[in-house]
Structure formats: C-alpha cells, structure tokens
C-alpha cells in the first residue's frame, strides 16, 4: 500500500482498507465523542466496511434522541472478529471506554487507529496516530480525513459530525471556532445536515426537574467575589437529591453563572468521587483558569479547566476563591 | 455610469459613488440593525466616503459595549449636507428610525438606497432597492454587496457584521443559517472578526437583576398546556417593577421556556402599549405559530411571531392557549 503525503489522507486510506472496525471513545461520551463514533461507523458502513461502536455504560439523556445502536458489552471472541480498532476523541488510555479485558498494551500492538484533537494525546498507538489540536472537535478532524478520500459524506454522517462540532464549539461560540470550522460546517449543511434537530436535542431539551434545580441553585446558592468578577456556587447534596439532579446531564450549568454581566470567571463546586469537584470557566483569555486548575493538581484548557480537591467543601471554596481572586489583584 | 449585471455589485457601485451617506435602520435596533449600520458606515469611511448613522433614542444596554458614535438628533440643515440616504435592515417605512421632519415620500424621491433581508419589504425607494429574503441577516447581505466591490473588509467592519450575523441567527442555531451564512462568517473571521467579545457582550452579559427576575418568573409563573407541549408565562407587572425589568433588554427570555424538554411552543404574555403583548416561538416547523399570530391580528415568521391582544391578561391567556392547543388536538 502506498501512502498519500498528507496525514489526513493516510488516515482515510487506512480506515478504508479495514475489514471490520470497532470504534472506541472516551468514557462518559459527550456530543463530539458520540458524533465522531457514529459518524465514522456509518461512513465506513456506507463504503461497505463493517463497523460497530462500543460504549460501556449509558449516554446522556439528551443525546439518546440522536445516537443509538452501540455495544455496551462484548466478549473476547466477538472482539477477535474485528481486524481494526479506532479511538476517536480520547486523550489518554485511562479515559478510553473499552471492555475490561482489553488492555492498552494489546491495543497498541494491534491495527489501532488513534484520531483525536486534544493536544498532549498520550494514546500512542504503535500503528497510526493523528492528533490535531487545531481542530475544534474530533468531528471536524474526521470530516477533514474523510473528505480526503474523495468520498461523499452521506447525510446521516453529516448530521452526526455536525452534532459533535456544535457541542464542542458551544454552537460556534467558543474560541476553538476557526474559519475552517465554519467552512466545514457549511460543507455539512450542504451534505444534508440540519441544525434544528441538533439544536433542539442538545440545547433545547432541558428536563423540568433540571430547570427547577437550576433556579433554586441560582436563587439560594450563588455567591460573588472580586467585585462580581468571580461567580460561584457550592452545590449542596440536599439540593441534588431533592431534584434528583445529575450533574453529568447538565454540561450547561456553569454557563448560568458565566452569562452574568461583569462575571469573568465562573466556578462550580460539588461533591464527587475523590473529593470536591471543581469546574471553572473564564470569559477572558487574560484571566485563564488552566493554571489555577493545575495548581490544584487538575488540568484542562486555558478557559475551561477543573480539579478535584481533597477536603471539605468549605476548605475547597476558601482555597480556590483566594487563588482566583489573586488573578484580579 | 455602467452597472454590473449582478444586483449586489450594483448596490456596491452606488454606495461607493456616494459623497456623504446618512444611514438609517429600524427603531429599537437589534444586533443586526446595529451591525449593518455601523459596518456600512465604517466601510464607507475606510473608502474615503463620509458616512454617519442616525438612531433616534437609545440602544439596548448589552450593545453599548460594541456600538457607539451615532446621531440621535439632526437638523434639516445638517440633513441637507448628505447626498445619499441608506436604510438597512428595515422592512417598512413605519418602523424606520428617521428624524420627525423627514417623510418617506421625501426619502423615496432622494438618492435613497434600501438594503434589507425581510421578504415583503415595502420601503420602495424610487432609486434603488435590494431585498434578499434568503440572507440570514442584513449583515450577511452587506458582506455579499461589499465583497462584490473587490474591496477588503476592514477588521472593524468584520466585527460589526459578525455581530449582526450572530444575533440574527441566534449564534448559527436558527433555521435561517445556511451554508452561505457559515462561509460568510468564515470570511469575517479571516478578516479579523473575533467571536469572544461578541459572545460575551451579546450572550454572556445578563445583568444580575435580570437573572433574578427570570428565576422568579420561572419558579412562580411558569405554566404548561397540552401535556407539556406548550409552556407559557404571564409576566405580572409587580414582578417587572420589583426587579426593574425591561423586556426589550431581554430578547432571550422566551428561550428559557423554549429550552425545556418536551416543549414545542413557548409563549410570553405581558402588559404593553395597546394591550397584552404576545410573543411566541415554535421549535418544530410542523407546529408553526405564524398562523396563530395572524389569527390575533399579529404577524412575524412561522416559528417566531407575535400579536397584541386588546383585553385582560386572563382573556388573552384563555383565548391564546385554546388556539395553540388546537395545533396538538
């Protein structure tokens, strides 16, 4: 097999030379992970190649309207029928959603295609890696790859890829939106993607219980620091239980704080496995939260980062707000 | 002067052949009206042509960060120094924001350039009209016109035009977003437009008082009909006064109802001049609100429409919800 010079075309050739592909993504998959997985699956099937998606566990409720038809369990015997494995949108092996018996070492030695947009990706397949930190989303990257192959993108795939692009860019609002991102989205519209179902399923499907939880949180637990530049809330367990709230289902919760006039940094603190979970967003590149997260042994992006604090919520709040306030000192 | 075949190029030629342009737009200008007005003004000035924007009254608070430098008053003498008038983003003479002494008849007989994206535009300049209902926004249309001229779009203009495009498309979420819209936005990003300031000013600048108003409204006044398919709220005057709320400043209020899972039609009713103002949004083209608005002598688009009801709030609520419920019968 001869390779095209461009790495995107190499990726396309390798994928299209597969016989049967099992697609993995990161645990607790979001819109981009799901759009990438299902978009790739259906593209391969459209081109006569068998493909399946594996996701351990469930997917967020609002995504169930758009995504279905995946394996949650697989036997070693079934696994052996696949000649190729693909990882999409996953930055490191610890987060990869694979069957318990499949080790990263085994994967790395197989025909394993790693496609991702997170800088610092440590999947390190021994076969093929394409990591593109400039891509807004793994979906955008996959469109680059698949269009390389000179193949049309079927409407169903276009819809999946558009979903991932819209969720990872916050509907083209976040700074990862580049001119190429918008042109890729234009291409997907022309391939038949429709915005309305995505927007309704992803942005306009808030359960009433979630709405009531959010109202009560904002009415009773919202605090400010640094003259309103920092807005934060410590989510009490009682409130979560009262409304049967699951924070994994509410990626947009922190935006309620972020959207307040004058607020530059929005913070949520809540109880989770391992300690107090901290989630932070900054509206202004001059006041990044990435370094603050790293100071608490966490990580993420410069404007969206998090950490886990071992201690009480009061201790977490005190230490964190002091650190964030220093940004404005 | 010879005209280019394409009407966009004709518009560009006429604008660039002007000596001094006074730009009008619709009353209570929104992001697209402001982006169009100021984008056009600075483009003309960049090309050595004097231009001013006229806006009677004030502009919404969240837009004051981005738009400034316009006339609110002008004398007949000053007006006579302009050789050209332009109307952008205004569908009809009644809504045009002009000085009291300037009649539509006088405008129609002058060198008056009418540029708009509303189908059914009735400005009817006797000189030049370009109405493009397929454009997502007047800003998108202006970019089409100005790029025709073979001139670069300066960064400042790109920023203004991007603002208008983002507000009229709800950040590329509404169905007026086409492939051409996204490609135009890509072009503006390359011309130096930045999303972050627009997103922050337009979407992430909610005053705390507004947030408190919204919370209280949703907690205490939200109602449902047709098994949750209709969500509505009658805004009491006492609540508005308590939080010093101005509905004109909160275009996004109805989205709080629209975003609830299961809701197809969202409705707000509030007291205004002339009666009870009705504002409706539909999430699904199969259940349009346009016809319902027209049944109440109102109007608008199929998925976003309104009316004014002469009577009490209770009467309005009863009549309207009955009519909307019929859609789901």
């Amino acid at each position: 097999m001869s390779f095209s010079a461009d790495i995107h075309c190499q990726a396309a050739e390798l994928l299209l030379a597969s016989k049967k592909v099992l697609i993995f993504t990161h645990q607790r998959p979001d819109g981009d992970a799901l759009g990438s997985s299902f978009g790739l699956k259906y593209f391969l099937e459209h081109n006569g190649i068998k493909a399946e998606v594996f996701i351990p566990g469930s997917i967020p409720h609002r995504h169930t309207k758009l995504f279905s038809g995946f394996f949650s369990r697989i036997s070693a015997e079934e696994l052996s029928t696949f000649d190729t494995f693909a990882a999409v949108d996953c930055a490191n092996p610890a987060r990869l959603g694979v069957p318990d018996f499949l080790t990263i070492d085994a994967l790395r030695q197989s025909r394993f295609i790693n496609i991702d947009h997170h800088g610092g990706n440590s999947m390190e397949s021994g076969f093929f890696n394409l990591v593109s930190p400039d891509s807004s989303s793994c979906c955008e990257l996959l469109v680059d790859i698949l269009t390389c192959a000179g193949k049309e993108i079927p409407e169903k795939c276009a819809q999946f890829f558009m979903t991932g692009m819209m969720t990872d860019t916050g509907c083209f609002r976040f700074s990862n939106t580049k001119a190429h991102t918008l042109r890729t989205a234009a291409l997907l519209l022309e391939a038949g993607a429709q915005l309305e179902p995505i927007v309704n399923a992803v942005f306009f499907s808030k359960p009433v219980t979630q709405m009531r939880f959010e109202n009560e949180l904002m009415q009773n637990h919202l605090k400010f620091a640094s003259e309103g530049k920092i807005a934060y809330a410590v989510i009490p367990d009682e409130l979560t239980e009262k409304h049967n709230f699951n924070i994994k289902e509410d990626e947009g919760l922190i935006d309620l704080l972020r959207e307040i006039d004058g607020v530059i940094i929005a913070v949520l603190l809540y109880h989770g496995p391992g300690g107090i979970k901290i989630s932070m967003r900054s509206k202004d590149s001059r006041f990044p939260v990435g370094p603050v997260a790293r100071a608490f042994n966490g990580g993420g992006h410069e404007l969206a980062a998090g950490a886990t604090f071992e201690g009480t919520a009061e201790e977490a709040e005190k230490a964190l707000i002091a650190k964030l306030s220093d940004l404005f000192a």
Side-chain angles (χ1 to χ4, degrees), chain A residues 206-214 243-245:
Chain A
K206 181 181 295 194
V208 172
T209 50
Q210 183 180 316
M211 184 199 76
R212 302 240 180 263
F213 167 87
E214 289 176 354
H243 296 283
N244 197 23
F245 178 73

Side-chain angles (χ1 to χ4, degrees), chain A residues 6 16 23 25 45-46 51 55 64 86 148 154 229 258 281 324:
Chain A
D6 183 80
L16 288 168
I23 301 163
T25 187
E45 289 187 340
H46 185 76
I55 297 172
T64 55
C148 223
K229 297 190 189 67
R258 178 160 53 167
R281 298 288 183 273
L324 288 169

Side-chain angles (χ1 to χ4, degrees), chain A residues 120-139:
Chain A
N121 179 296
S122 59
M123 202 63 71
E124 290 168 3
S125 163
F127 181 69
F128 184 83
N129 299 276
L130 173 42
V131 179
S132 172
D134 287 339
S135 300
S136 69
S137 49
C138 195
C139 281

Side-chain angles (χ1 to χ4, degrees), chain A residues 139-274:
Chain A
C139 281
E140 182 187 324
L141 175 55
L142 277 163
V143 176
D144 287 343
I145 291 169
L146 302 178
T147 46
C148 223
K151 307 274 186 189
E152 61 147 20
I153 296 194
E155 191 175 305
K156 198 170 178 177
C157 296
Q159 193 68 8
F160 289 136
F161 291 138
M162 184 69 100
T163 303
M165 288 187 66
M166 286 179 78
T167 50
D168 254 28
T169 60
C171 219
F172 311 117
R173 285 178 305 166
F174 302 156
S175 57
N176 54 354
T177 305
K178 307 293 180 225
H180 182 70
T181 313
L182 296 174
R183 291 202 172 93
T184 305
L187 201 148
L188 294 176
L189 280 187
E190 285 170 338
Q194 291 186 316
L195 295 174
E196 192 180 284
I198 300 172
V199 169
N200 285 343
V202 176
F203 299 100
F204 285 147
S205 289
K206 181 181 295 194
V208 172
T209 50
Q210 183 180 316
M211 184 199 76
R212 302 240 180 263
F213 167 87
E214 289 176 354
N215 273 354
E216 207 173 320
L217 182 76
M218 296 296 275
Q219 288 276 63
N220 302 335
H221 302 280
L222 176 64
K223 298 185 195 178
F224 294 94
S226 295
E227 294 152 340
K229 297 190 189 67
I230 302 170
Y232 66 103
V234 182
I235 304 176
D237 285 340
E238 311 83 63
L239 189 66
T240 306
E241 283 154 22
K242 177 179 173 183
H243 296 283
N244 197 23
F245 178 73
N246 180 357
I247 196 158
K248 298 191 193 83
E249 295 278 348
D250 194 1
E251 288 168 9
L253 178 61
I254 201 168
D255 280 344
L256 297 182
L257 287 78
R258 178 160 53 167
E259 69 185 2
I260 299 170
D261 195 16
V263 168
I264 295 178
I265 292 179
V267 189
L268 285 176
L269 299 98
Y270 56 97
H271 294 91

Side-chain angles (χ1 to χ4, degrees), chain A residues 58-78:
Chain A
S58 62
I59 67 178
H61 171 75
R62 71 184 167 290
H63 289 304
T64 55
K65 289 186 180 79
L66 299 171
F67 301 103
S68 62
F70 57 90
F71 283 86
S72 294
R73 283 195 198 86
I74 193 167
S75 66
E77 194 181 351
E78 277 173 309

Side-chain angles (χ1 to χ4, degrees), chain A residues 84-137:
Chain A
T84 302
F85 303 101
V88 292
D89 197 43
C90 188
N92 57 67
R95 281 201 77 196
L96 192 61
V98 288
D100 291 339
F101 60 83
L102 182 57
T103 65
I104 185 62
D105 286 338
L107 260 180
R108 281 174 173 151
Q109 293 168 47
S110 66
R111 195 173 188 274
F112 177 37
I113 300 172
N114 170 34
I115 296 168
D116 186 31
H117 73 115
H118 294 93
N121 179 296
S122 59
M123 202 63 71
E124 290 168 3
S125 163
F127 181 69
F128 184 83
N129 299 276
L130 173 42
V131 179
S132 172
D134 287 339
S135 300
S136 69
S137 49

